Amino acid sequence: MEKERFYITTPIYYPSDKLHIGHTYCTVATDAIARYHRLKGEEVMFLTGTDEHGQKIEDKAREAGVTPKEFVDAIVEGPRGVKDLWKLMNISNDRFIRTTDDYHVTSIQKIFRKMYDSGDIYKGTYKGKYCKPCESFWTESQLKDGCCPDCGRPVTDAEEEAYFFRLSKYADKIQHLLEDTDFLEPRSRVHEMVNNFIKPGLEDLCVSRTSFTWGIPVDFDPKHVVYVWVDALSNYITALGYGNDRYHDYADWWPGVNIVGKEIVRFHSIIWPAMLMSLGEPLPKKVFGHGWLLLDGGKMSKSKGNVVDPYLLAEHFGVDALRFFLLRTFPFGTDGNFSNEALIQTINVDLANDLGNLLSRTVSMVGKYFGGQLPEGSGASESDRHLAEECVKEHFIAAPVGPEDNAYDMSLIVQAANLRNLYENQMEHYAPHNALAEIFKVIDRANKYIDENAPWTLAKDMEANGPRLAHVMYNLLESLRVCAILLTPFIPTSAAEVLRQIGACEKCSTWDSAAVWGSLPGTVTVQRGENLFPRIDMDKELAALEQAAAEAKKAALPDLEVEPQLEEKVDFDTFCKSDFRAVKVKDCQPVKKSDKLLRFTLDDGTGTDRQILSGIAKWYKPEDLIGKTLMAIVNLPPRKMMGQESQGMLISAVHTEKGEEALNLLILDDKIPAGAKMC
Ligand code: MSP
């Protein structure tokens, strides 16, 4: 039987700057959906890429003193660039398209000409408003308070000879597509599109520019370059070989599913289907417009300077933990507020406490009570299997009332047996957050099952309770198995490790087996392994993250951009409360397991030693500081770092030199006695 085919795409991102956590969110979500379809046994094509033309990139390259191609090459292919980021995040894309790729350029010229030849593109004069950061043209009536309705920034007048696409011709068809089919989801976005864009009257779209050159030339009129959205939207088909010889599988894969952020739904649900109608090609199966990750309630954007660096988070917390957090926390279709606290909280609660503990407790109990291998007869009984089959067939989700001692088993088995269906239903509706919630209900149930059965009490009389204890362990391993299979699209590496630790063979790690209770052999052998998700110390990590982010920010700023900033004013009384004083270094040692911290023992003039930890190991050798007179603030609340208390802060001067942070402690004249106040 031929396998089902599934084609899915992310937007192609602008390489005008490094990508941030918002882009990562979209790519990770699309990756999880792609992996889910692969897990189900479908053939999948997953495409992502970069949208490299346009005035913004031309301007940025000029500012940087390089050609546009050099500029985008560095961001896409360079160290810690777009491709590196997707590799780090374990993204399983099959293709990566760059709109500067030759084959794409060839296709765009053909697409443009085809629409021109059919009369859907014509020459005219463009008068309108242009938003440079968004590369969007607007009519007066579309502006919001005179500014770009997407980003709120000012727009400029623009007038030029241009080619136009007859978008107006397709208005009725598009309205029908949006209102009468489930082409665009979530449905809440349909209203917005129809009311804001179609009902006021769809105007023809300006699809060429003469005001800049960094784009694909119209081959029959080369002073024009193709409008960047026509160039960009077509990537979904040019990457399959439409209009070029680089690939030949357009007919195999198209139409597919386009996952996009809500701010570009307009392009994908109006312009894109109209272009395809004009070309006589099938429309996407679906356009899904996901919500934004917000920071302090507002959109993250490089130009606002409030972005979160995915590299930093992945390196700190691990790739799977970050992937998991993004998809577990934010409902896919709506906006959500990003915070480091929420990230740590999710890791601690769901991954460390719930999943991590369930795994480590189960595996270690099988080790402790049975030497790592369950004895013959521990597996699923006939009635367990029957119960599981029935509840899937009959769609019941509550356990039938059964004999008292069996009630816990039945309730766990019913929930685990139903999981795959519930999960599938959510994934098919692009609700990965709900799919994860279903998994965690079972994990929760299994954790309770441990308490209900109190294995440690059963183990007190192995002769009488051994078989029951072994069956309890088996049920826990089975529940973990089903959950781990279904977690694979979200946390591929960790899910594989769970399956390894519980001793699941290849055959009992498949999609099919996730719906068959009792797939794990009764005499399964577990393998102890590392703690998958260690608990995180919230305060320590938040401080470390803050420091790392500040360092990264400073390191990223070229010298020229670092202007001395005057900080917010404090009143004189507040200033006077700060206890700055001279301190003498009695001892200074490196802090174990830290390459940043030094531990100082200081004479602060009070007669009692003061301990201060300072992250300056990069700049000073401990022995060089002993005996020196430094300046410290000593009435900050004490803080723990690497398990040790720091009672204040040493004062240093910080500046940037050749893109590197430079730091100098304020070293005072040794004549100044310890404890002398600075004022
Ligand atoms: N190049 C266009 C897309 C062309 S697709 C044919 C573009 N690029 S972009 O770099 O601005 O990336 C936009 C996409 O990145 C959004 O649609 C969204 O998927 C993702 N996100 C960017 N910032 C985001 C958040 N703050 N939150 C969630 N997703 C975000 O537009």
Side-chain angles (χ1 to χ4, degrees):
M1 202 177 75
E2 213 178 297
K3 282 187 177 181
E4 266 194 58
R5 290 214 171 97
F6 182 75
Y7 175 40
I8 190 162
T9 65
T10 71
I12 49 172
Y13 304 105
Y14 292 129
S16 48
D17 233 316
K18 297 247 150 149
L19 300 190
H20 59 66
I21 196 74
H23 306 108
T24 308
Y25 172 56
C26 177
T27 306
V28 164
T30 311
D31 183 61
I33 299 167
R35 285 176 182 269
Y36 153 73
H37 283 270
R38 286 194 203 103
L39 178 65
K40 280 177 65 176
E42 293 169 31
E43 267 190 67
V44 171
M45 169 66 77
F46 170 17
L47 173 72
T48 188
T50 40
D51 180 3
E52 306 191 349
H53 293 120
Q55 192 166 1
K56 191 159 104 193
I57 288 183
E58 190 177 87
D59 290 352
K60 283 221 148 196
R62 191 176 310 113
E63 275 166 35
V66 294
T67 65
K69 185 64 169 52
E70 284 167 342
F71 183 84
V72 293
D73 278 352
I75 292 184
V76 177
E77 313 274 349
R80 290 166 94 86
V82 178
K83 287 189 175 172
D84 272 2
L85 177 62
W86 298 153
K87 209 164 168 194
L88 171 75
M89 292 307 301
N90 208 353
I91 302 301
S92 61
N93 56 300
D94 300 284
R95 287 187 194 162
F96 188 103
I97 185 168
R98 300 182 58 181
T99 53
T100 50
D101 289 338
D102 288 346
Y103 71 90
H104 174 79
V105 172
T106 308
S107 294
I108 295 303
Q109 290 177 327
K110 284 194 190 152
I111 287 171
F112 198 92
R113 181 185 280 275
K114 190 167 177 195
M115 294 196 289
Y116 180 75
D117 288 346
S118 72
D120 271 354
I121 285 183
Y122 62 92
K123 206 174 199 176
T125 307
Y126 178 80
K127 285 197 193 81
K129 306 284 176 189
Y130 187 58
C131 174
K132 203 158 147 186
C134 297
E135 314 266 12
S136 296
F137 276 83
W138 302 97
T139 58
E140 195 80 48
S141 64
Q142 288 171 326
L143 301 180
K144 219 187 213 164
D145 304 324
C147 293
C148 169
D150 271 356
C151 73
R153 294 190 189 94
V155 289
T156 48
D157 286 323
E159 182 174 331
E160 55 186 26
E161 175 196 274
Y163 287 93
F164 285 83
F165 172 61
R166 287 189 202 283
L167 191 56
S168 55
K169 173 175 155 188
Y170 295 99
D172 290 347
K173 278 190 179 170
I174 304 270
Q175 183 165 352
H176 159 73
L177 174 73
L178 295 179
E179 288 184 330
D180 305 331
T181 73
D182 53 11
F183 167 78
L184 173 61
E185 284 195 48
R187 297 296 295 161
S188 55
R189 309 230 182 268
V190 170
H191 231 65
E192 191 194 331
M193 291 304 121
V194 173
N195 289 345
N196 296 357
F197 299 108
I198 298 182
K199 288 207 172 139
L202 258 195
E203 291 173 28
D204 288 351
L205 177 74
C206 176
V207 288
S208 77
R209 301 287 180 268
T210 50
S211 52
F212 62 93
T213 54
W214 181 239
I216 300 179
V218 174
D219 56 355
F220 54 88
D221 194 354
K223 73 173 187 293
H224 290 262
V225 295
V226 176
Y227 174 43
V228 74
W229 274 100
V230 169
D231 167 357
L233 288 163
S234 308
N235 91 87
Y236 303 127
I237 55 175
T238 64
L240 302 174
Y242 183 87
N244 65 69
D245 286 332
R246 172 76 176 77
Y247 297 106
H248 299 95
D249 42 14
Y250 171 69
D252 295 339
W253 296 108
W254 189 252
V257 172
N258 298 139
I259 304 287
V260 302
K262 67 175 188 180
E263 81 291 1
I264 54 173
V265 161
R266 181 171 74 94
F267 299 95
H268 285 81
S269 65
I270 298 176
I271 301 174
W272 178 220
M275 281 171 58
L276 288 164
M277 287 174 190
S278 169
L279 293 169
E281 298 299 331
L283 307 184
K285 274 189 201 152
K286 183 166 302 298
V287 168
F288 189 95
H290 69 78
W292 283 348
L293 291 193
L294 306 174
L295 205 60
D296 305 322
K299 194 183 178 210
M300 254 175 244
S301 83
K302 272 278 175 186
S303 49
K304 283 200 221 156
N306 66 345
V307 296
V308 175
D309 178 6
Y311 265 102
L312 195 73
L313 297 178
E315 282 165 358
H316 244 82
F317 300 109
V319 169
D320 276 353
L322 180 57
R323 289 175 61 109
F324 177 81
F325 164 69
L326 292 172
L327 301 181
R328 166 81 161 128
T329 314
F330 307 107
F332 196 40
T334 54
D335 294 350
N337 239 319
F338 177 91
S339 76
N340 289 330
E341 286 86 344
L343 166 58
I344 296 174
Q345 176 94 348
T346 304
I347 295 175
N348 281 347
V349 174
D350 289 340
L351 295 180
N353 260 10
D354 295 352
L355 173 61
N357 271 344
L358 177 62
L359 175 69
S360 63
R361 284 163 92 192
T362 306
V363 170
S364 76
M365 286 190 288
V366 176
K368 186 165 158 197
Y369 303 137
F370 300 101
Q373 182 174 21
L374 293 183
E376 207 70 57
S378 316
S381 65
E382 267 322 300
S383 71
D384 289 349
R385 286 177 200 275
H386 183 69
L387 172 68
E389 273 166 29
E390 282 300 296
C391 72
V392 173
K393 234 190 311 173
E394 303 295 330
H395 297 291
F396 62 82
I397 48 175
V401 181
E404 185 75 358
D405 61 343
N406 214 9
Y408 299 138
D409 290 17
M410 298 215 308
S411 131
L412 178 68
I413 292 170
V414 164
Q415 242 180 292
N418 273 310
L419 178 58
R420 201 193 73 170
N421 278 351
L422 295 170
Y423 168 98
E424 185 175 18
N425 184 36
Q426 297 297 347
M427 291 303 283
E428 292 297 324
H429 288 95
Y430 300 89
H433 56 290
N434 286 340
L436 281 170
E438 293 297 346
I439 297 177
F440 274 76
K441 282 186 205 160
V442 175
I443 291 176
D444 226 40
R445 185 70 201 81
N447 272 317
K448 284 205 187 85
Y449 181 81
I450 297 184
D451 298 335
E452 289 161 349
N453 285 286
W456 41 90
T457 311
L458 291 174
K460 284 185 187 147
D461 185 353
M462 282 303 270
E463 209 172 311
N465 303 326
R468 171 68 194 154
L469 180 57
H471 190 57
V472 167
M473 291 298 123
Y474 180 85
N475 287 341
L476 289 170
L477 291 172
E478 259 305 80
S479 307
L480 269 164
R481 181 184 67 83
V482 174
C483 292
I485 293 171
L486 302 179
L487 279 169
T488 306
F490 298 91
I491 48 172
T493 311
S494 314
E497 176 60 13
V498 174
L499 289 167
R500 192 193 70 80
Q501 290 194 21
I502 63 169
C505 57
E506 211 173 297
K507 240 179 43 210
C508 47
S509 304
T510 60
W511 172 254
D512 287 345
S513 79
V516 183
W517 181 263
S519 296
L520 209 58
T523 55
V524 61
T525 304
V526 299
Q527 317 279 334
R528 285 207 74 161
E530 270 189 22
N531 185 357
L532 270 186
F533 299 105
R535 243 192 110 71
I536 292 170
D537 178 328
M538 172 84 80
D539 290 344
K540 199 178 101 193
E541 277 307 318
L542 285 177
L545 266 184
E546 218 168 275
Q547 193 177 344
E551 277 168 17
K553 204 168 167 188
K554 279 188 196 140
L557 289 175
D559 271 356
L560 283 175
E561 283 184 26
V562 187
E563 287 173 17
Q565 296 278 322
L566 290 180
E567 303 293 343
E568 202 184 322
K569 293 188 173 50
V570 289
D571 61 62
F572 190 66
D573 287 348
T574 312
F575 168 71
C576 287
K577 285 185 199 150
S578 311
D579 188 348
F580 287 101
R581 52 172 77 191
V583 290
K584 302 242 176 223
V585 181
K586 293 172 75 174
D587 191 23
C588 180
Q589 298 291 335
V591 171
K592 273 194 201 133
K593 292 197 191 151
S594 167
D595 45 12
K596 294 203 180 98
L597 288 176
L598 296 182
R599 189 181 68 240
F600 290 82
T601 308
L602 302 163
D603 176 0
D604 62 2
T606 59
T608 312
D609 285 350
R610 175 175 296 274
Q611 172 168 295
I612 288 184
L613 302 179
S614 183
I616 58 169
K618 187 169 149 195
W619 295 277
Y620 289 98
K621 288 204 192 98
E623 59 273 22
D624 293 345
L625 293 172
I626 296 174
K628 294 270 189 275
T629 307
L630 306 177
M631 181 160 146
I633 177 165
V634 295
N635 62 341
L636 292 175
R639 229 175 88 184
K640 280 219 156 161
M641 292 188 249
M642 302 295 285
Q644 305 200 35
E645 188 170 280
S646 181
Q647 303 156 328
M649 199 170 88
L650 293 173
I651 309 298
S652 16
V654 181
H655 68 285
T656 307
E657 215 170 77
K658 298 196 184 86
E660 287 270 313
E661 188 180 31
L663 178 144
N664 288 282
L665 278 170
L666 290 198
I667 301 185
L668 306 177
D669 193 320
D670 289 333
K671 283 202 302 263
I672 302 172
K677 287 266 217 167
M678 311 284 145
C679 51

